[in-house]
Amino acid sequence: GGYGGGYGATPAPVVAPPPAGPGASPGPRQPKLFVGSVPPEASEEHLQWIFGHFGTVQEVKLLRNETGASKGAAFVTMESLSACDAAIVGLNGKYKLKEDTNPLRVSYKTAPGGNSRFTLFIGSMPYDVTEAHMMQQFSPFGAVLEVRILRRLGQSTGAGFVVFDNPQSADAAIAALNNQPVFGTRPIRVAYKTDPSPRADQNAPQG
């Protein structure tokens, strides 16, 4: 059941009433959602169709790595906060794009900066692990703002970063995944990112 299979035709958008009076001025929240646990083969059109059930979709942006492959996450901008709320209630942790995948994670995109970014360093990963694989493993713990694999000359170094929007999610991911063979036989390392040591990232541009 659900939206499975026939997502070629987009349903007619739901027209929301215009926002009332001065309350329409931009508040601390923008109607922009972070979507995690997106299967790598899902397209922006597919996501637009799903979120279109909850209101008019202004923009869908799949996050991709430098090779153009999906990172398993997207940003979806809706017409209003009420449409965002409806999408979160209807989809978050409930709706699977494919039967054998995790349900979508849908939450408000948090404002960058401040203390809203909690970065974990992930080490000892197999070299064939992609950002989409990382997103699949870490998004069950909360809203993942970013995943990044460190590459040298286009090849994975077996290390990367995962950024959560709150410390509880980061702590839960460390507790559940650190020293566990998440991606195969080899235990991975999950810890809060510290200042890079002199030998790590020495070729990375500073700033």
Side-chain angles (χ1 to χ4, degrees), residues 103-187:
L104 292 178
R105 304 286 307 185
V106 184
S107 60
Y108 277 102
K109 178 183 186 292
T110 54
N115 275 333
S116 58
R117 291 171 69 84
F118 296 85
T119 303
L120 299 180
F121 171 81
I122 320 299
S124 299
M125 291 188 293
Y127 296 128
D128 58 352
V129 168
T130 65
E131 277 97 346
H133 292 139
M134 290 175 71
M135 183 67 75
Q136 199 171 12
Q137 291 296 337
F138 285 90
S139 61
F141 299 98
V144 177
L145 301 181
E146 186 184 349
V147 290
R148 185 157 60 93
I149 287 176
L150 298 177
R151 290 182 171 84
R152 187 166 288 126
L153 302 176
Q155 299 298 312
S156 167
T157 61
F161 296 108
V162 174
V163 183
F164 285 103
D165 70 349
N166 70 83
Q168 293 83 5
S169 294
D171 290 342
I174 293 172
L177 302 181
N178 186 39
N179 286 327
Q180 297 299 313
V182 175
F183 297 111
T185 54
R186 200 168 150 201

Side-chain angles (χ1 to χ4, degrees), residues 41-54:
E41 64 273 21
S43 66
E44 281 155 345
E45 291 76 20
H46 190 178
L47 290 172
Q48 179 155 3
W49 183 84
I50 291 163
F51 282 83
H53 286 75
F54 301 96

Side-chain angles (χ1 to χ4, degrees), residues 15 32-33 142 146 191 201:
V15 180
K32 190 168 188 176
L33 297 172
E146 186 184 349
D201 279 340

Side-chain angles (χ1 to χ4, degrees), residues 42-124:
S43 66
E44 281 155 345
E45 291 76 20
H46 190 178
L47 290 172
Q48 179 155 3
W49 183 84
I50 291 163
F51 282 83
H53 286 75
F54 301 96
T56 302
V57 178
Q58 308 277 17
E59 185 187 18
V60 178
K61 188 171 194 294
L62 269 174
L63 304 183
R64 300 180 185 278
N65 64 21
E66 59 264 39
T67 66
S70 167
K71 287 186 175 186
F75 291 121
V76 175
T77 306
M78 304 291 287
E79 74 201 326
S80 65
L81 295 176
S82 59
C84 287
D85 292 338
I88 290 171
V89 170
L91 298 174
N92 181 44
K94 298 176 185 171
Y95 178 61
K96 295 182 178 184
L97 281 170
K98 288 176 64 185
E99 274 310 306
D100 56 347
T101 59
N102 290 324
L104 292 178
R105 304 286 307 185
V106 184
S107 60
Y108 277 102
K109 178 183 186 292
T110 54
N115 275 333
S116 58
R117 291 171 69 84
F118 296 85
T119 303
L120 299 180
F121 171 81
I122 320 299
S124 299

